[in-house]
Amino acid sequence: MVKNNVGRDIPQEHADQYGVYDDLFTNVKPYKEASRDLKPVKPTDTKLLGSIREAIEKTGLKDGMTISFHHHFREGDFVINMVMEEIAKMGIKNLSIAPSSIANVHEPLIEHIKNGVITNITSSGLRDKLGAAISDGIMENPVVIRSHGGRARAIAAGDIHIDVAFLGAPSSDAYGNANGTVGKAVCGSLGYAMIDAKYADQVVIITDTLVSYPNSPISIPQTDVDYVVEVDAIGDPSGIAKGATRFTTNPKELLIAEYANKVITQSPYYKNGFSVQTGTGGAALAVARFLRDSMIKDDVKAAFALGGITNQMVELLEDGLVEKLIDVQDFDALSGQSLGRNENHIEVDANFYASPLSKGSAINQLDICILSALEVDTDYNVNVMTGSDGVIRGASGGHSDTSAASKMSLVISPLVRGRIPTVVDSVNTVITPGASVDVVVTEIGVAINPARQDLIEHFTTLDIPQYTIEELKEKAYAIVGNPEPIQYGDKVVALIEYRDGTLIDVVRNV
Amino acid sequence: MVKNNVGRDIPQEHADQYGVYDDLFTNVKPYKEASRDLKPVKPTDTKLLGSIREAIEKTGLKDGMTISFHHHFREGDFVINMVMEEIAKMGIKNLSIAPSSIANVHEPLIEHIKNGVITNITSSGLRDKLGAAISDGIMENPVVIRSHGGRARAIAAGDIHIDVAFLGAPSSDAYGNANGTVGKAVCGSLGYAMIDAKYADQVVIITDTLVSYPNSPISIPQTDVDYVVEVDAIGDPSGIAKGATRFTTNPKELLIAEYANKVITQSPYYKNGFSVQTGTGGAALAVARFLRDSMIKDDVKAAFALGGITNQMVELLEDGLVEKLIDVQDFDALSGQSLGRNENHIEVDANFYASPLSKGSAINQLDICILSALEVDTDYNVNVMTGSDGVIRGASGGHSDTSAASKMSLVISPLVRGRIPTVVDSVNTVITPGASVDVVVTEIGVAINPARQDLIEHFTTLDIPQYTIEELKEKAYAIVGNPEPIQYGDKVVALIEYRDGTLIDVVRNV
């Protein structure tokens, strides 16, 4: 075992392979970017194939290769299941899959794991039954959990080498120019897919809306695409929009949001030209609403809002409260449509959004980010991955990326959830190291990370109760009692990569 | 000496290094794409530097490295001379320069060659005094002439490895998001610069219009940029627009244009959804005008027009005669503005435009291209590089790219120019092999390449005089007499790469 810098024990073999987490930026070093094996396409070649099966055959996909998908269709995605079903029928085994994330709808992956079709997974998240099965120890090899920026990093650095990317596209021409703003199943930005398209040896575009050449706007260019397949349907629009959450009416969440907004608007960063990423949870959307009111009242305008975009952000843009949206992912139909329509709504890839190994990602320019938590501990470490029962059910997302890069990161969370404390001695799983978390906001008040003395000094006049993080924990424990320790097994079922590629934690079976 | 497949003698050492031209597509093979050495940019890093000198210092530029520039500012460019002057002052020597092309305004390069600052050049073209100096033998190492698609190929394949790209940008933010449609010196598309930005180890954006973050549209993204420098002026707008030519009033050129339009409109490709690249010479623009009238009369609409874009193409777009413009370069201010304004005017990079090693370039989708010629010979080989005196004064451009990839290539040219025949026994310098040239159009009629029996059969009813290419040559010689052979020296002053990277010809000193 090797103990890393957030005190987690990493088994030697994994520590040797990945290295262990040290600090936020010590592993951000010059490197040689990965490159792809490329088959040039001649004037007489055609890319349009008759079926997914034909595409799989043409790519020469075989046992042991790595394939990838994107998660822009979320719970409405048909692509992963369609492609995997065909691959399984063809008898191909021992594949590594590297989707940008996995949704509940991908439960059929469990069978493919059991049948040996899939033997390795890397993903931002694992939900529901697949998460439970992984936590139960269904796989021989641990899943590798990567943040959105960390996945872009891993691809650019060659840690993930994608042999074939199967990318669903709401529209494409027969030469592979694809976007997410036109078609039957509009998802908006294709930011996560764009990275796969750039680095994968071979790329198959799967679309249900084949348009004449040249399709535009061009999110994924023909120069990144080998084959195009038209299918009846790539996704269910109602499932695609499931990423969005409505405004909360929960009084506790509203209070958290109000406090978070006070932290933002009383911070040194709140001024004309500031920038913010709000996230998509109920409380986060409520923060956006309070912030909107404050910006109008104070006549403050933001230069940009970033990240997963919701209709609330689009309204800020359209009302002139935010100058530009930088969009790696859209969470509802309206934001997807805005991307296709509004020139100040800018589509970017995951590398541009959040990679620590890029020549500067957008989050490096970010003033304020609002993040959720399943747990936060007295070292300010945050868990957004495993539940209070130790079972994997979350997603790393952009959490550790934005918290590290932004000037002020707010973790918003109720002090307790039901009978479970949120502020704890030690989180079950560290996704985001406390070194990158600045302020924890609960419904009873805030705790400011002592590492941010500048903020502590600035916020002496903040009109919200302030506590130490230990005091918040004590209050949580006072309400619901000390949490019972989880009884983990010995098997490592998931490796948690920090965004720089080192291991910040592992998850064991339960 | 090795004789290549167009009968040109290539000195052994160069043949060994590059290979020699065989056929249009035999050397288009799978390969490993080049990659860059990348220095990640952390949140606290800034990219904005105080001067070009500081940028040169920060990049660590040293003797023997390769630097690049783009030619989107044409005769209005200040960037190459500014940067080279600073480099020369700093005492750096033995550089290879790899601009996408070179204009008359870059005459100061002659001094830098004489002083040993520049010892290698690759470019699409060489003009005026620099071309004459090169032909005179000023350089020890031959210049390497590459087509626009061939340059993109060479960069993607690693034949050109750019250590530092110095890219002028009409606008940029301090993090390097740059475009050519906003600013004091608008040039429109940054298509040639985008390739350098993607593959160069280090990229310096030089702008005279620094805007707030995030600048958009994003032609060159921050993720491809290391440093940003603001200067007073990057270019002279009147010189930038010098690439454009007005409609000709020359009756001979008008007749050629009328004939070319007849070939196009009576060809099998002229129908709804066709595509065309017209070029920018006087006769070429006249073709566009005739074609426009025909399209209106015949109610035929094009799917796209391609290539260097002029205001004539923009009018076709705005009048609904062409659905989309695919734009790697703009030749006048109006087209540059259109790119920033019209969503159907699409910016693409040189790889997307024309690289033979891409996953399919736009020219592969092109029906018809119209090309100029200094000379065309009885094997249909075309010279657009050396004058009748053997001196380098032209540019390879997209000539050999579009002629190879399009379904029908027209070379338009007067039969003679002054006392010089245009159709000859053997061109001075082969840029484009006859195998890719389909129809030669002169003011007395056309010659169709016998390799295109399908076109010969199709055009039996064409209402233009038809000749063999030998007959055209005889008629030219009958007017102006047989051309005197040029007295070349023994020194190879330029290597002419075919787009696939092999040598199709060399140029010797005169």
Side-chain angles (χ1 to χ4, degrees):
Chain A
M1 291 290 175
V2 179
K3 200 177 282 295
N4 69 14
N5 225 348
V6 286
R8 299 290 155 144
D9 289 320
I10 311 296
Q12 191 70 47
E13 63 168 305
H14 303 305
D16 289 346
Q17 187 182 348
Y18 292 86
V20 301
Y21 169 76
D22 177 34
D23 201 350
L24 300 186
F25 299 108
T26 46
N27 278 299
V28 175
K29 295 172 185 164
Y31 69 109
K32 179 86 174 171
E33 198 177 18
S35 72
R36 55 189 172 181
D37 287 319
L38 198 150
K39 290 188 300 184
V41 173
K42 299 177 189 174
T44 51
D45 295 339
T46 54
K47 297 184 181 182
L48 190 63
L49 304 179
S51 66
I52 289 175
R53 186 176 191 114
E54 191 184 354
I56 297 167
E57 287 168 353
K58 285 268 189 193
T59 62
L61 185 72
K62 56 175 195 266
D63 294 8
M65 283 188 166
T66 298
I67 62 177
S68 80
F69 306 93
H70 69 71
H71 75 286
H72 289 288
F73 302 142
R74 284 174 296 274
E75 292 299 344
D77 179 53
F78 296 169
V79 173
I80 294 185
N81 291 343
M82 277 195 296
V83 171
M84 288 312 306
E85 189 183 336
E86 203 60 45
I87 286 173
K89 277 189 204 160
M90 292 169 71
I92 300 169
K93 302 273 183 185
N94 190 24
L95 291 178
S96 296
I97 68 167
S100 51
S101 202
I102 294 176
N104 294 334
V105 73
H106 300 124
E107 193 182 319
L109 292 177
I110 295 174
E111 279 309 303
H112 299 308
I113 294 167
K114 287 183 179 168
N115 295 333
V117 178
I118 295 169
T119 50
N120 284 284
I121 297 177
T122 179
S123 174
S124 165
L126 294 168
R127 309 288 187 173
D128 209 38
K129 291 187 181 158
L130 179 60
I134 300 293
S135 274
D136 193 38
I138 190 181
M139 293 190 74
E140 189 178 328
N141 304 316
V143 169
V144 182
I145 298 295
R146 291 177 160 111
S147 72
H148 289 325
R151 180 178 187 267
R153 178 210 64 74
I155 293 172
D159 293 348
I160 300 176
H161 181 82
I162 302 166
D163 294 294
V164 188
F166 295 94
L167 303 177
S171 70
S172 177
D173 60 41
Y175 224 42
N177 294 300
N179 68 51
T181 56
V182 174
K184 299 173 199 158
V186 163
C187 64
S189 175
L190 287 175
Y192 295 116
M194 288 156 76
I195 278 294
D196 300 40
K198 275 184 191 168
Y199 290 91
D201 285 345
Q202 296 185 77
V203 173
V204 179
I205 292 287
I206 300 170
T207 189
D208 53 12
T209 305
L210 194 67
V211 301
S212 63
Y213 184 90
N215 188 29
S216 66
I218 299 174
S219 303
I220 294 174
Q222 62 187 47
T223 41
D224 286 342
V225 177
D226 296 85
Y227 303 109
V228 178
V229 178
E230 190 183 19
V231 297
D232 289 339
I234 54 168
D236 167 14
S238 71
I240 293 173
K242 264 193 192 152
T245 313
R246 296 193 170 277
F247 286 136
T248 183
T249 53
N250 177 324
K252 199 197 274 188
E253 288 195 327
L254 286 171
L255 191 55
I256 295 170
E258 196 186 327
Y259 281 178
N261 186 52
K262 287 192 174 193
V263 173
I264 293 170
T265 54
Q266 294 176 42
S267 80
Y269 309 109
Y270 178 67
K271 56 190 175 197
N272 269 321
F274 83 109
S275 56
V276 65
Q277 172 166 334
T278 60
T280 57
L285 292 184
V287 179
R289 186 170 49 171
F290 285 116
L291 181 58
R292 176 194 178 84
D293 294 343
S294 296
M295 289 169 72
I296 292 169
K297 181 172 66 68
D298 302 332
D299 195 23
V300 167
K301 293 184 174 57
F304 67 94
L306 181 62
I309 298 298
T310 59
N311 188 39
Q312 286 72 31
M313 290 293 114
V314 171
E315 282 173 8
L316 291 178
L317 177 70
E318 291 179 350
D319 294 346
L321 293 168
V322 167
E323 264 190 64
K324 299 195 178 177
L325 299 182
I326 300 179
D327 184 352
V328 70
Q329 179 177 199
D330 292 285
F331 283 97
D332 48 46
L334 286 168
S335 6
Q337 289 154 13
S338 163
L339 179 67
R341 187 181 65 216
N342 191 322
E343 64 180 9
N344 291 317
H345 188 158
I346 310 162
E347 185 177 32
V348 301
D349 66 33
N351 187 51
F352 189 114
Y353 169 50
S355 171
L357 287 196
S358 77
K359 290 183 176 183
S361 54
I363 55 174
N364 290 0
Q365 296 288 320
L366 185 63
D367 289 326
I368 299 158
C369 70
I370 300 161
L371 299 165
S372 62
L374 292 172
E375 296 176 306
V376 54
D377 68 22
T378 50
D379 289 329
Y380 286 85
N381 298 318
V382 179
N383 169 25
V384 287
M385 181 55 57
T386 47
S388 61
D389 53 2
V391 174
I392 299 171
R393 58 167 54 92
S396 176
H399 201 286
S400 64
D401 299 308
T402 45
S403 58
S406 64
K407 294 195 181 64
M408 182 176 75
S409 61
L410 272 59
V411 168
I412 60 172
S413 176
L415 198 63
V416 301
R417 287 189 176 90
R419 297 303 302 164
I420 317 265
T422 303
V423 185
V424 295
D425 277 315
S426 177
V427 292
N428 289 328
T429 308
V430 182
I431 291 293
T432 296
S436 63
V437 172
D438 298 322
V439 185
V440 172
V441 183
T442 73
E443 71 277 22
I444 66 160
V446 305
I448 303 173
N449 192 329
R452 291 298 301 270
Q453 278 302 315
D454 60 324
L455 287 181
I456 289 174
E457 284 164 27
H458 177 88
F459 280 130
T460 47
T461 59
L462 183 68
D463 58 347
I464 310 174
Q466 291 192 42
Y467 301 96
T468 65
I469 192 75
E470 289 78 12
E471 287 169 342
L472 286 183
K473 181 209 72 177
E474 291 303 333
K475 287 179 182 292
Y477 285 14
I479 299 168
V480 296
N482 288 24
E484 289 292 315
I486 296 165
Q487 297 302 319
Y488 287 106
D490 292 330
K491 180 173 181 174
V492 172
V493 297
L495 305 174
I496 311 292
E497 260 195 16
Y498 188 57
R499 62 196 298 256
D500 66 2
T502 62
L503 294 183
I504 195 160
D505 208 343
V506 300
V507 181
R508 291 182 172 78
N509 65 313
V510 280
Chain B
M1 290 290 173
V2 179
K3 199 178 283 294
N4 70 14
N5 225 349
V6 288
R8 300 290 155 143
D9 290 321
I10 310 296
Q12 191 69 48
E13 63 169 304
H14 302 305
D16 289 346
Q17 187 182 348
Y18 292 86
V20 300
Y21 170 75
D22 177 34
D23 201 351
L24 301 185
F25 298 107
T26 46
N27 278 298
V28 175
K29 294 172 186 163
Y31 69 110
K32 179 84 174 171
E33 198 176 18
S35 73
R36 56 189 171 180
D37 287 319
L38 199 150
K39 290 188 301 183
V41 173
K42 299 177 191 174
T44 51
D45 295 339
T46 54
K47 296 185 181 183
L48 190 64
L49 304 179
S51 66
I52 288 175
R53 186 176 191 114
E54 191 185 354
I56 297 167
E57 288 169 352
K58 284 270 189 191
T59 62
L61 185 72
K62 55 175 196 267
D63 294 8
M65 283 188 167
T66 298
I67 61 176
S68 79
F69 306 94
H70 69 70
H71 74 287
H72 290 288
F73 302 141
R74 285 174 295 274
E75 293 298 344
D77 178 53
F78 296 168
V79 174
I80 294 185
N81 292 342
M82 276 196 296
V83 172
M84 289 312 307
E85 189 182 335
E86 202 60 44
I87 286 173
K89 277 189 203 160
M90 291 169 72
I92 300 170
K93 301 274 184 184
N94 190 23
L95 292 179
S96 296
I97 67 166
S100 51
S101 203
I102 294 175
N104 294 334
V105 73
H106 299 124
E107 193 181 320
L109 292 177
I110 295 173
E111 280 309 303
H112 299 308
I113 293 167
K114 286 183 179 166
N115 295 333
V117 178
I118 296 169
T119 50
N120 284 285
I121 296 177
T122 179
S123 174
S124 164
L126 294 168
R127 310 286 187 174
D128 208 38
K129 292 186 182 160
L130 179 60
I134 299 293
S135 275
D136 194 38
I138 190 182
M139 293 191 74
E140 188 179 329
N141 304 318
V143 168
V144 182
I145 299 295
R146 292 178 160 111
S147 72
H148 289 326
R151 179 179 189 267
R153 177 210 64 74
I155 293 171
D159 293 349
I160 301 175
H161 181 82
I162 302 166
D163 293 295
V164 187
F166 294 94
L167 304 177
S171 71
S172 177
D173 60 42
Y175 224 42
N177 294 300
N179 68 51
T181 57
V182 174
K184 299 173 199 159
V186 162
C187 64
S189 176
L190 288 175
Y192 295 117
M194 288 154 77
I195 279 293
D196 301 40
K198 275 184 191 168
Y199 289 92
D201 285 345
Q202 295 185 78
V203 173
V204 179
I205 293 287
I206 300 170
T207 190
D208 53 12
T209 305
L210 194 67
V211 302
S212 63
Y213 184 90
N215 188 28
S216 66
I218 299 173
S219 303
I220 294 174
Q222 63 188 47
T223 42
D224 286 342
V225 177
D226 297 84
Y227 303 109
V228 177
V229 177
E230 190 183 19
V231 297
D232 289 339
I234 53 169
D236 168 14
S238 71
I240 292 173
K242 264 193 193 151
T245 313
R246 295 193 170 276
F247 286 137
T248 184
T249 53
N250 177 324
K252 200 198 272 187
E253 288 194 327
L254 287 172
L255 191 55
I256 294 169
E258 196 185 327
Y259 281 178
N261 186 52
K262 287 192 174 192
V263 173
I264 292 170
T265 55
Q266 294 176 42
S267 81
Y269 309 109
Y270 179 66
K271 57 191 176 197
N272 268 321
F274 83 111
S275 55
V276 64
Q277 172 166 333
T278 59
T280 58
L285 292 184
V287 179
R289 185 170 50 170
F290 285 116
L291 180 58
R292 175 195 178 84
D293 294 343
S294 296
M295 289 169 72
I296 293 170
K297 181 170 66 68
D298 303 332
D299 195 21
V300 168
K301 292 183 174 59
F304 67 94
L306 181 61
I309 299 297
T310 60
N311 188 40
Q312 287 73 28
M313 291 293 116
V314 171
E315 282 173 9
L316 290 179
L317 177 70
E318 290 178 351
D319 293 346
L321 294 168
V322 166
E323 264 189 64
K324 299 196 178 177
L325 299 181
I326 300 179
D327 185 352
V328 69
Q329 180 178 197
D330 293 285
F331 283 96
D332 48 46
L334 286 168
S335 7
Q337 287 155 15
S338 162
L339 178 68
R341 188 181 64 214
N342 192 323
E343 64 180 10
N344 291 317
H345 188 158
I346 310 162
E347 185 177 31
V348 300
D349 65 33
N351 187 51
F352 189 114
Y353 169 50
S355 170
L357 286 196
S358 76
K359 291 185 176 181
S361 55
I363 56 174
N364 290 0
Q365 297 287 321
L366 185 63
D367 289 327
I368 298 159
C369 69
I370 300 161
L371 300 164
S372 62
L374 292 171
E375 296 177 308
V376 54
D377 69 23
T378 50
D379 289 329
Y380 286 85
N381 298 319
V382 179
N383 169 25
V384 287
M385 182 55 56
T386 47
S388 60
D389 52 2
V391 174
I392 299 171
R393 58 167 52 92
S396 176
H399 202 286
S400 64
D401 299 308
T402 46
S403 58
S406 64
K407 294 195 180 64
M408 184 176 76
S409 61
L410 272 60
V411 167
I412 60 172
S413 176
L415 197 64
V416 301
R417 287 188 177 90
R419 298 304 303 166
I420 316 257
T422 303
V423 186
V424 296
D425 277 317
S426 178
V427 293
N428 288 330
T429 308
V430 183
I431 291 293
T432 296
S436 64
V437 172
D438 297 322
V439 185
V440 172
V441 183
T442 73
E443 70 277 22
I444 67 161
V446 303
I448 303 173
N449 191 329
R452 290 299 302 268
Q453 278 302 315
D454 61 323
L455 286 181
I456 289 174
E457 284 164 28
H458 178 88
F459 279 130
T460 47
T461 59
L462 184 68
D463 57 347
I464 310 175
Q466 292 192 40
Y467 301 96
T468 66
I469 193 75
E470 289 78 12
E471 288 169 344
L472 286 183
K473 181 210 71 177
E474 291 304 333
K475 286 179 183 292
Y477 285 14
I479 299 167
V480 295
N482 288 24
E484 289 292 313
I486 296 165
Q487 297 303 318
Y488 286 106
D490 292 331
K491 180 174 180 174
V492 172
V493 297
L495 305 175
I496 310 292
E497 259 195 16
Y498 188 56
R499 62 196 298 259
D500 66 1
T502 62
L503 294 182
I504 195 161
D505 210 344
V506 300
V507 180
R508 292 183 172 78
N509 65 311
V510 280

